[in-house]
Structure formats: C-alpha cells, structure tokens
Amino acid sequence: MGEVSVNGSGPSGEVTDTKVLRRAFGTFATGVTVVTVGGSVAHGMTANSFTSVSLDPPLASVCVDQDAIMHTNLTAAGSFGVSILAADQEDVARHFANRWRPLGMAQFEQVSWEPGRLTGAPLIAGAVTHFECELWRSYGGGDHTIFLGKVVSLYRCSDDDVLVFINGRFRAAAVSNEVST
Ligand SMILES: Cc1cc2nc3c(=O)[nH]c(=O)nc-3n(C[C@H](O)[C@H](O)[C@H](O)COP(=O)(O)O)c2cc1C
C-alpha cells in the first residue's frame, strides 16, 4: 500500500516502475473474455481489456499486445469473436493465456466451441455472451494496439455467474436478476 512510483510531480511526472503500474491497473476489476479469430489464422487469446465503446454504431474494443500472436492474426482476419466467460471457466481463461498452448485449431481441441455464423471465429461454449465483430479501426496505444470492432452479431447465452479478474486473481461474481430501484 502507498507505493510511490511517480518521479517528479504534476503533468510531467513519469511513471517508470511497470510492476507498480501493473499492480495499480490490477485493482480495477474486469470481466474476462476469450478473443478469437477463425479461418486460416485461427487463434484465441484471453483478454480482460474488452470494453463497450458505442451503441450507435455498435462498437467494442480490445487492446492487444503488439508482441502477441493475436496481434498479427486479428489484423489479418479483419474480424473477431468475443466470448465473455462464466464463473466456472477459469481453466479456459488460463488455457488461452498460456503461451505454450498449441497453435492453430489444435488450441481449441480441449474446449467446446462453435463457429460464429458471420465471421467463423470460434465462440466458446458455456460463455455468458458471444459477440462477433468486424474490425472497424485500430489505433496505436504504446506497446498495445486498440482494436475497435463493429458488433455484427451478439448472443446472450446464459445468466450464469461471471468470471472476474482483480489483483491478478480470478474471482466469481454473482449475477443478481433482482431489479434495483
Ligand atoms: C486475465 C488475463 C487477461 C489478459 N488480457 C490481455 C489483454 O487484454 N490483452 C493482451 O494483449 N493480453 C492479455 N493477456 C495476456 C495474454 O492472454 C497472453 O499473453 C497470451 O499468451 C497471448 O497470446 P498470443 O501471443 O498467443 O496471442 C491477459 C492474460 C490474462 C491471464
């Protein structure tokens, strides 16, 4: 607690300690997704940077490390799928974050999935929501690229509890259907 990582002060202060930065970013709780592309560049990657961006047009973004295989494959595919993982899918999240997993379609052999109807991107069975996106724009974001996708299909699969990532750990978040007033 109370770690100081800013050299100098004010707008020109520079954050230099990436471990401290990573830990600070990690205090922001997120859902967990698997971003996928299909066809000849089939690939999947666990991502918690998925964010809703716009309702009209319907846009969502994901930030991908420029060194990730997904960066090359998503750029080549021009479309992608997003599966928002359920609370019982931590093993799926760990699998698609494991850099030693097989490449190509072999990495999908140990999970159930179905191809997206519009993009062919593998969509993970048991996820709470599936999206298919066409790549709309991409923006440089330091060592990552911000891929903005136009949502072309969505399917709300279940009301199951969802997987959450916080402080470097997976947690389950109960989804209440009670309407708040
Ligand atoms: C919970 C979690 C969330 C992650 N989110 C992202 C992300 O949003 N963007 C990213 O580039 N990597 C993210 N990663 C790391 C990648 O999943 C991991 O580096 C993966 O092996 C990269 O795959 P690739 O190089 O085969 O495409 C995340 C990892 C975990 C465990």
Side-chain angles (χ1 to χ4, degrees):
M1 294 258 271
E3 291 161 292
V4 176
S5 62
V6 179
N7 299 329
S9 60
S12 61
E14 201 181 329
V15 175
T16 54
D17 189 330
T18 51
K19 279 187 187 161
V20 173
L21 178 61
R22 186 190 288 265
R23 254 181 275 149
F25 280 156
T27 61
F28 184 63
T30 66
V32 183
T33 74
V34 178
V35 174
T36 49
V37 293
S40 60
V41 290
H43 194 61
M45 188 194 85
T46 299
N48 69 339
S49 58
F50 173 78
T51 304
S52 59
V53 174
S54 164
L55 293 177
D56 186 15
L59 300 175
S61 69
V62 64
C63 301
V64 179
D65 192 320
Q66 290 182 1
D67 290 335
I69 294 169
M70 180 54 86
H71 195 278
T72 304
N73 292 24
L74 199 161
T75 303
S79 61
F80 58 97
V82 179
S83 300
I84 298 181
L85 297 183
D88 62 359
Q89 293 186 302
E90 179 176 337
D91 56 338
V92 176
R94 289 190 182 281
H95 173 69
F96 286 103
N98 178 1
R99 65 159 73 183
W100 306 114
R101 69 195 180 283
L103 292 177
M105 288 311 300
Q107 68 192 286
F108 293 97
E109 279 174 12
Q110 58 182 272
V111 296
S112 299
W113 60 276
E114 61 195 51
R117 281 180 297 118
L118 299 179
T119 64
L123 301 172
I124 308 297
V128 295
T129 309
H130 291 154
F131 294 100
E132 290 182 272
C133 300
E134 284 173 359
L135 186 55
W136 202 67
R137 303 267 196 286
S138 59
Y139 304 93
D143 55 13
H144 282 54
T145 295
I146 304 160
F147 290 105
L148 202 48
K150 182 172 181 188
V151 178
V152 292
S153 86
L154 62 88
Y155 185 64
R156 187 73 199 275
C157 316
S158 80
D159 289 329
D160 289 349
D161 293 350
V162 297
L163 193 61
V164 167
F165 197 63
I166 174 77
N167 287 338
R169 291 169 188 268
F170 293 99
R171 296 275 184 254
V175 177
S176 167
N177 289 322
E178 289 170 26
V179 178
S180 57
T181 52

Coordinates of all heavy atoms in Angstrom, one line a residue, residues 30-33 43-50 62-71 93-101 103 107 144 165 170, ligand 1:
T30 N -12.3 -6.4 -13.7 CA -12.8 -6.6 -15.1 C -13.5 -7.9 -15.2 O -13.2 -8.9 -14.5 CB -11.7 -6.5 -16.1 OG1 -10.8 -7.6 -16.0 CG2 -10.9 -5.2 -16.0
G31 N -14.2 -8.1 -16.3 CA -14.6 -9.4 -16.7 C -13.5 -10.0 -17.5 O -12.4 -9.5 -17.6
V32 N -13.7 -11.3 -17.9 CA -12.6 -12.0 -18.6 C -13.3 -12.5 -19.9 O -14.3 -13.1 -19.9 CB -12.1 -13.2 -17.8 CG1 -10.9 -13.8 -18.5 CG2 -11.6 -12.6 -16.4
T33 N -12.5 -12.3 -21.0 CA -13.0 -12.8 -22.3 C -12.0 -13.6 -23.0 O -10.8 -13.6 -22.6 CB -13.4 -11.6 -23.3 OG1 -12.1 -11.0 -23.8 CG2 -14.2 -10.5 -22.6
H43 N -7.1 -18.5 -34.0 CA -6.3 -18.3 -32.7 C -7.3 -17.8 -31.7 O -8.3 -17.2 -32.0 CB -5.2 -17.2 -33.0 CG -4.2 -17.1 -31.9 ND1 -3.4 -18.2 -31.6 CD2 -3.8 -16.1 -31.1 CE1 -2.5 -17.8 -30.6 NE2 -2.8 -16.6 -30.3
G44 N -6.9 -18.0 -30.4 CA -7.7 -17.5 -29.3 C -6.7 -16.9 -28.3 O -5.6 -17.4 -28.1
M45 N -7.2 -15.8 -27.6 CA -6.4 -15.2 -26.5 C -7.2 -14.6 -25.4 O -8.2 -13.9 -25.7 CB -5.6 -14.0 -27.2 CG -4.5 -13.4 -26.3 SD -3.9 -11.8 -26.9 CE -5.2 -10.7 -26.2
T46 N -6.9 -15.0 -24.2 CA -7.6 -14.4 -23.1 C -7.3 -12.9 -23.0 O -6.2 -12.4 -23.1 CB -7.1 -15.1 -21.8 OG1 -7.4 -16.5 -21.9 CG2 -7.8 -14.5 -20.5
A47 N -8.4 -12.1 -22.8 CA -8.3 -10.7 -22.8 C -9.2 -10.1 -21.7 O -10.4 -10.4 -21.8 CB -8.5 -10.1 -24.1
N48 N -8.7 -9.2 -20.9 CA -9.6 -8.5 -20.0 C -9.7 -7.0 -20.3 O -10.3 -6.2 -19.6 CB -9.2 -8.7 -18.5 CG -7.9 -8.0 -18.2 OD1 -7.1 -7.7 -19.1 ND2 -7.7 -7.7 -16.9
S49 N -9.2 -6.7 -21.5 CA -9.2 -5.3 -21.9 C -10.5 -5.0 -22.8 O -10.7 -3.9 -23.3 CB -8.0 -4.9 -22.7 OG -7.9 -5.8 -23.9
F50 N -11.3 -6.0 -22.9 CA -12.6 -5.8 -23.7 C -13.4 -4.7 -23.1 O -13.6 -4.7 -21.8 CB -13.4 -7.1 -23.7 CG -14.7 -7.0 -24.4 CD1 -14.9 -6.9 -25.7 CD2 -15.8 -6.9 -23.6 CE1 -16.1 -6.8 -26.3 CE2 -17.1 -6.7 -24.1 CZ -17.2 -6.7 -25.5
V62 N -10.8 -4.0 -27.9 CA -9.9 -4.8 -27.2 C -8.5 -4.4 -27.5 O -8.2 -4.0 -28.6 CB -10.2 -6.3 -27.5 CG1 -9.8 -6.6 -29.0 CG2 -9.4 -7.2 -26.6
C63 N -7.7 -4.3 -26.4 CA -6.3 -3.9 -26.6 C -5.4 -5.2 -26.6 O -5.5 -6.0 -25.7 CB -5.9 -3.1 -25.4 SG -6.8 -1.6 -25.2
V64 N -4.6 -5.3 -27.7 CA -3.8 -6.5 -27.8 C -2.3 -6.1 -27.9 O -1.9 -5.1 -28.6 CB -4.2 -7.2 -29.1 CG1 -3.3 -8.4 -29.3 CG2 -5.6 -7.6 -29.1
D65 N -1.5 -6.8 -27.1 CA 0.0 -6.6 -27.1 C 0.5 -6.7 -28.5 O 0.2 -7.7 -29.2 CB 0.6 -7.6 -26.1 CG 2.0 -7.4 -25.8 OD1 2.8 -6.9 -26.7 OD2 2.4 -7.6 -24.6
Q66 N 1.4 -5.8 -28.9 CA 1.9 -5.9 -30.2 C 2.8 -7.1 -30.5 O 3.0 -7.5 -31.6 CB 2.7 -4.6 -30.6 CG 1.7 -3.4 -30.7 CD 2.4 -2.1 -31.1 OE1 3.6 -2.1 -31.2 NE2 1.6 -1.1 -31.2
D67 N 3.3 -7.7 -29.4 CA 4.1 -8.9 -29.5 C 3.2 -10.2 -29.5 O 3.8 -11.3 -29.7 CB 5.1 -9.0 -28.3 CG 6.2 -8.0 -28.5 OD1 6.5 -7.5 -29.6 OD2 6.8 -7.6 -27.4
A68 N 1.9 -10.1 -29.3 CA 1.1 -11.3 -29.2 C 0.8 -11.8 -30.6 O 0.7 -11.1 -31.6 CB -0.2 -10.9 -28.5
I69 N 0.7 -13.1 -30.7 CA 0.4 -13.8 -32.0 C -1.0 -13.2 -32.4 O -1.2 -13.0 -33.6 CB 0.3 -15.3 -31.8 CG1 1.7 -15.8 -31.5 CG2 -0.3 -16.0 -33.0 CD1 1.8 -17.3 -31.0
M70 N -1.9 -13.0 -31.5 CA -3.2 -12.5 -31.8 C -3.1 -11.1 -32.6 O -4.0 -10.9 -33.4 CB -4.0 -12.3 -30.5 CG -5.4 -11.8 -30.8 SD -6.3 -12.7 -32.0 CE -7.0 -14.0 -30.9
H71 N -2.1 -10.4 -32.3 CA -2.0 -9.1 -33.0 C -1.9 -9.3 -34.5 O -2.6 -8.6 -35.3 CB -0.8 -8.3 -32.4 CG -0.8 -6.9 -32.8 ND1 -0.3 -6.4 -34.0 CD2 -1.2 -5.8 -32.1 CE1 -0.4 -5.1 -34.0 NE2 -0.9 -4.7 -32.9
A93 N -9.8 -19.6 -19.3 CA -9.1 -18.3 -19.3 C -7.6 -18.6 -19.2 O -6.7 -18.0 -19.9 CB -9.5 -17.5 -18.1
R94 N -7.2 -19.6 -18.3 CA -5.8 -19.9 -18.1 C -5.2 -20.6 -19.4 O -4.1 -20.3 -19.8 CB -5.6 -20.9 -17.0 CG -5.9 -20.2 -15.6 CD -5.4 -21.1 -14.5 NE -5.7 -20.4 -13.2 CZ -4.9 -19.5 -12.6 NH1 -3.8 -19.1 -13.3 NH2 -5.2 -18.9 -11.5
H95 N -6.0 -21.4 -20.1 CA -5.6 -22.1 -21.3 C -5.2 -21.1 -22.4 O -4.1 -21.1 -23.0 CB -6.7 -23.0 -21.8 CG -6.4 -23.6 -23.1 ND1 -5.4 -24.5 -23.3 CD2 -6.9 -23.4 -24.3 CE1 -5.3 -24.9 -24.6 NE2 -6.2 -24.2 -25.2
F96 N -6.1 -20.1 -22.6 CA -5.9 -19.1 -23.7 C -4.9 -18.0 -23.3 O -4.6 -17.1 -24.2 CB -7.2 -18.6 -24.3 CG -7.9 -19.6 -25.1 CD1 -9.0 -20.3 -24.6 CD2 -7.5 -20.0 -26.4 CE1 -9.7 -21.3 -25.4 CE2 -8.1 -20.9 -27.1 CZ -9.2 -21.6 -26.6
A97 N -4.4 -18.0 -22.1 CA -3.4 -17.1 -21.7 C -2.0 -17.8 -21.6 O -1.0 -17.1 -21.4 CB -3.7 -16.5 -20.3
N98 N -2.0 -19.1 -21.8 CA -0.8 -19.9 -21.7 C 0.0 -19.9 -23.0 O -0.5 -20.3 -24.0 CB -1.2 -21.4 -21.4 CG 0.0 -22.3 -21.3 OD1 1.2 -21.8 -21.4 ND2 -0.2 -23.5 -21.0
R99 N 1.1 -19.3 -22.9 CA 1.9 -19.1 -24.2 C 2.4 -20.4 -24.8 O 2.9 -20.4 -25.9 CB 3.1 -18.1 -23.9 CG 4.1 -18.7 -23.0 CD 5.4 -18.1 -23.1 NE 5.5 -16.7 -22.6 CZ 6.5 -15.9 -22.7 NH1 7.6 -16.3 -23.3 NH2 6.5 -14.7 -22.1
W100 N 2.3 -21.5 -24.0 CA 2.8 -22.8 -24.5 C 1.7 -23.6 -25.1 O 1.9 -24.8 -25.5 CB 3.5 -23.6 -23.4 CG 4.5 -22.8 -22.7 CD1 4.5 -22.3 -21.4 CD2 5.8 -22.3 -23.3 NE1 5.7 -21.6 -21.2 CE2 6.4 -21.6 -22.3 CE3 6.3 -22.4 -24.6 CZ2 7.7 -21.0 -22.6 CZ3 7.5 -21.8 -24.8 CH2 8.2 -21.1 -23.8
R101 N 0.5 -23.1 -25.2 CA -0.6 -23.9 -25.8 C -0.3 -24.1 -27.3 O 0.4 -23.4 -27.9 CB -2.0 -23.1 -25.6 CG -2.1 -21.8 -26.4 CD -3.3 -21.0 -26.0 NE -3.4 -19.8 -26.7 CZ -2.7 -18.7 -26.6 NH1 -1.7 -18.6 -25.7 NH2 -2.9 -17.6 -27.3
L103 N -0.8 -24.1 -31.4 CA -1.2 -23.1 -32.3 C -2.3 -23.6 -33.2 O -2.6 -24.8 -33.2 CB 0.0 -22.6 -33.1 CG 1.1 -21.8 -32.3 CD1 2.2 -21.5 -33.2 CD2 0.5 -20.6 -31.6
Q107 N -5.4 -25.6 -30.6 CA -5.6 -25.0 -29.2 C -7.1 -25.0 -28.8 O -7.4 -24.8 -27.6 CB -5.1 -23.5 -29.2 CG -5.9 -22.6 -30.0 CD -5.1 -21.2 -30.2 OE1 -5.1 -20.5 -29.3 NE2 -4.6 -21.0 -31.4
H144 N 0.6 -1.7 -27.0 CA -0.6 -2.4 -27.4 C -1.2 -1.7 -28.6 O -0.8 -0.6 -28.9 CB -1.6 -2.5 -26.3 CG -1.3 -3.5 -25.3 ND1 -0.1 -3.6 -24.6 CD2 -2.0 -4.6 -24.8 CE1 -0.1 -4.6 -23.7 NE2 -1.3 -5.2 -23.8
F165 N -11.6 -10.7 -13.0 CA -10.1 -10.6 -12.7 C -9.8 -9.4 -11.9 O -10.2 -8.3 -12.3 CB -9.4 -10.6 -14.1 CG -7.9 -11.0 -14.0 CD1 -7.5 -12.2 -13.5 CD2 -7.0 -10.1 -14.3 CE1 -6.2 -12.6 -13.5 CE2 -5.6 -10.4 -14.2 CZ -5.2 -11.7 -13.8
F170 N -8.4 -14.7 -10.3 CA -9.7 -14.9 -10.8 C -10.7 -15.0 -9.6 O -10.4 -15.6 -8.6 CB -9.8 -16.2 -11.6 CG -9.0 -16.1 -12.9 CD1 -7.7 -16.6 -13.0 CD2 -9.5 -15.5 -14.0 CE1 -6.9 -16.5 -14.1 CE2 -8.8 -15.4 -15.2 CZ -7.5 -15.9 -15.3
Ligands
LIG1 C1 -6.9 -12.4 -17.1 C2 -6.0 -12.1 -18.3 C3 -6.3 -11.0 -19.1 C4 -5.4 -10.7 -20.2 N1 -5.8 -9.7 -21.0 C5 -5.0 -9.4 -22.1 C6 -5.4 -8.3 -22.9 O1 -6.4 -7.7 -22.8 N2 -4.6 -8.0 -24.0 C7 -3.4 -8.7 -24.2 O2 -2.7 -8.5 -25.2 N3 -3.0 -9.8 -23.4 C8 -3.8 -10.1 -22.4 N4 -3.5 -11.1 -21.5 C9 -2.3 -11.9 -21.8 C10 -2.5 -12.9 -23.0 O3 -3.7 -13.7 -22.8 C11 -1.3 -13.9 -23.1 O4 -0.1 -13.1 -23.2 C12 -1.4 -14.8 -24.3 O5 -0.5 -15.9 -24.2 C13 -1.1 -14.1 -25.6 O6 -1.4 -15.0 -26.6 P1 -0.7 -15.0 -28.1 O7 0.6 -14.3 -28.1 O8 -0.7 -16.5 -28.4 O9 -1.7 -14.3 -29.0 C14 -4.3 -11.5 -20.4 C15 -4.0 -12.6 -19.6 C16 -4.8 -12.9 -18.5 C17 -4.5 -14.0 -17.6

